[in-house]
Amino acid sequence: MNASTELIEYVKRTVLLANTPAFIFNTLRDVQDLLEFANSNSSSDLKNKLSDLSQKTNRKPEDLAIAYLLLVALSYKPNFNIREIDLKDLQWIDWSSEIVSLISMVNSSTVFTDSIEGFCQPEKSSQQIIADSSVTYEVINFNKHKRE
Amino acid sequence: MNTSITNINHNAHPSITLQTRKGVGSEISNNQIDEPLNLWDLHSAEEIKRQYNFAVYRTAPCGYYNCHGMTFASRRTRIFDRDDLARIIEEDNYHKISEDTVLEGDVVIYYRNGDPQHSGIVVGVPKINDSITPIHIVSKWGHGHEVVHTLRDCPYNQNCDMILFYRIRSVHHGDKL
């Protein structure tokens, strides 16, 4: 659960500049360090950390940046149902419900493409694909599989 | 570095009654973060200021209006929903115009994947036969400063996939001048 100072600084800058929730979501999903952070933590680690922050009584400004970081990291966990998190617990995060909706859309489309990937790689069992995708997010080149 | 405590319920942010020209029934969702920025955010705002050092910074940072609130709501509140912005464009009778016909007072919107991630108002256009001077925009950078900048010299240009210009058109007389 280690996010670099540079990554947290970048999240803070992005949140400061954001005019829309999608700007936060899209800009942070461009960051390679965030993808690596997501891949180095399980969905339950991310969820638990978010829950800890939400229950904290004396939050620091840095905590808000970390909360956005955790939310966007959860968007790389296609088998995690973001709706498991109670939106009431996220009320302290500006635009949390909009960001949760964006995560939900990305996660459901990723599960769909994971299934297509499964059909294209018969040597991989569906259980193996699900296991893989739960620990490591893969960018799937959909067009490549269509050509094949 | 600041160690101040923040424990804010962001859903408690106040909103104002905001409608398009259509009036009742055309409410636009909005809210204001009407509180001072913490020192961390002020520090980030200063860093952004140093990075974009050709821009002119008109106001100190504030959170109660954003770029869309500046462009479409007289600097009173934050507008952030893409459907609301589309509704304003349609119901206030904005029409797309090409970059080479832009005039002062026109609106510019920077899009990414359909998200209107930034907007502003044109405040300077090249004179005839001037191919060097760029278009100048005034816009609000999130919770940060209100800034006069050139079209491409802002943090929203690098990731956007489309920049569109809009001009309001008279409902009754079209473009007749």
Side-chain angles (χ1 to χ4, degrees):
Chain A
M1 181 59 61
N2 285 324
S4 67
T5 311
E6 289 79 17
L7 180 55
I8 292 170
E9 287 293 325
Y10 188 78
V11 176
K12 275 165 41 193
R13 181 186 191 275
T14 302
V15 173
L16 178 80
L17 285 171
N19 295 300
T20 62
F23 178 81
I24 297 177
F25 187 72
N26 293 331
T27 305
L28 295 184
R29 276 181 63 95
D30 287 341
V31 181
Q32 182 65 26
D33 286 358
L34 199 147
L35 173 59
E36 286 166 13
F37 172 79
N39 284 338
S40 62
N41 288 280
S42 69
S43 52
S44 55
D45 288 341
L46 299 170
K47 184 191 164 193
N48 291 340
K49 178 66 180 166
L50 191 57
S51 178
D52 291 347
L53 286 177
S54 298
Q55 282 160 19
K56 232 171 138 177
T57 49
N58 293 321
R59 282 188 284 267
K60 294 179 181 173
E62 185 188 44
D63 292 334
L64 186 61
I66 295 170
Y68 284 112
L69 179 69
L70 295 165
L71 275 174
V72 178
L74 280 168
S75 73
Y76 288 111
K77 305 292 182 187
N79 294 311
F80 176 70
N81 180 6
I82 192 71
R83 302 286 174 190
E84 281 178 27
I85 298 176
D86 191 342
L87 278 178
K88 281 184 199 156
D89 295 338
L90 305 180
Q91 280 184 348
W92 62 283
I93 305 166
D94 194 23
W95 294 328
S96 54
S97 63
E98 288 85 355
I99 290 173
V100 164
S101 296
L102 291 166
I103 295 168
S104 198
M105 282 196 301
V106 168
N107 281 1
S108 55
S109 63
T110 309
V111 168
F112 173 73
T113 50
D114 275 354
S115 303
I116 292 169
E117 175 94 330
F119 289 125
C120 296
Q121 294 186 343
E123 69 276 10
K124 262 185 160 184
S125 71
S126 58
Q127 286 86 354
Q128 186 59 49
I129 291 158
I130 290 166
D132 288 349
S133 60
S134 67
V135 291
T136 307
Y137 178 84
E138 293 177 12
V139 177
I140 295 163
N141 187 338
F142 184 62
N143 288 330
K144 179 186 150 209
H145 293 300
K146 276 207 298 197
R147 279 198 299 277
E148 286 170 359
Chain B
M1 191 53 72
N2 173 49
T3 54
S4 69
I5 302 301
T6 181
N7 199 11
I8 303 156
N9 180 351
H10 284 258
N11 276 15
H13 292 317
S15 63
I16 61 171
T17 302
L18 184 64
Q19 301 170 332
T20 70
R21 194 181 66 85
K22 300 269 182 193
V24 177
S26 64
E27 279 70 24
I28 300 297
S29 58
N30 67 92
N31 69 22
Q32 305 158 326
I33 297 185
D34 202 359
E35 60 210 29
L37 271 68
N38 61 56
L39 289 180
W40 284 47
D41 285 340
L42 289 172
H43 176 71
S44 293
E46 278 305 309
E47 284 194 339
I48 292 162
K49 203 172 158 183
R50 278 200 290 275
Q51 185 183 349
Y52 293 91
N53 55 0
F54 288 109
V56 176
Y57 293 79
R58 303 181 70 239
T59 66
C62 74
Y64 57 85
Y65 70 94
N66 65 352
C67 66
H68 303 311
M70 192 211 86
T71 306
F72 297 109
S74 304
R75 299 180 170 88
R76 293 175 184 153
T77 192
R78 299 191 310 164
I79 304 169
F80 45 82
D81 184 280
R82 69 159 76 179
D83 294 338
D84 281 331
L85 284 157
R87 188 174 193 184
I88 291 170
I89 297 287
E90 187 189 336
E91 296 190 357
D92 286 352
N93 211 33
Y94 281 94
H95 285 255
K96 260 183 253 175
I97 52 169
S98 61
E99 187 171 337
D100 58 349
T101 61
V102 163
L103 293 173
E104 292 91 342
D106 290 334
V107 164
V108 59
I109 303 184
Y110 299 70
Y111 291 93
R112 180 180 181 184
N113 297 333
D115 175 50
Q117 60 177 8
H118 188 54
S119 68
I121 297 172
V122 176
V123 290
V125 293
K127 302 276 185 283
I128 296 168
N129 296 329
D130 176 1
S131 56
I132 298 170
T133 311
I135 292 170
H136 279 73
I137 308 293
V138 61
S139 70
K140 177 76 163 37
W141 291 5
H143 295 187
H145 301 82
E146 196 176 302
V147 183
V148 179
H149 58 92
T150 60
L151 181 64
R152 304 279 176 188
D153 186 36
C154 70
Y156 309 94
N157 180 57
Q158 62 193 39
N159 295 325
C160 82
D161 46 37
M162 190 164 56
I163 296 178
L164 293 180
F165 295 93
Y166 295 88
R167 183 176 303 158
I168 208 152
R169 181 181 286 169
S170 165
V171 173
H172 304 294
H173 302 288
D175 289 331
K176 278 187 228 162
L177 296 177

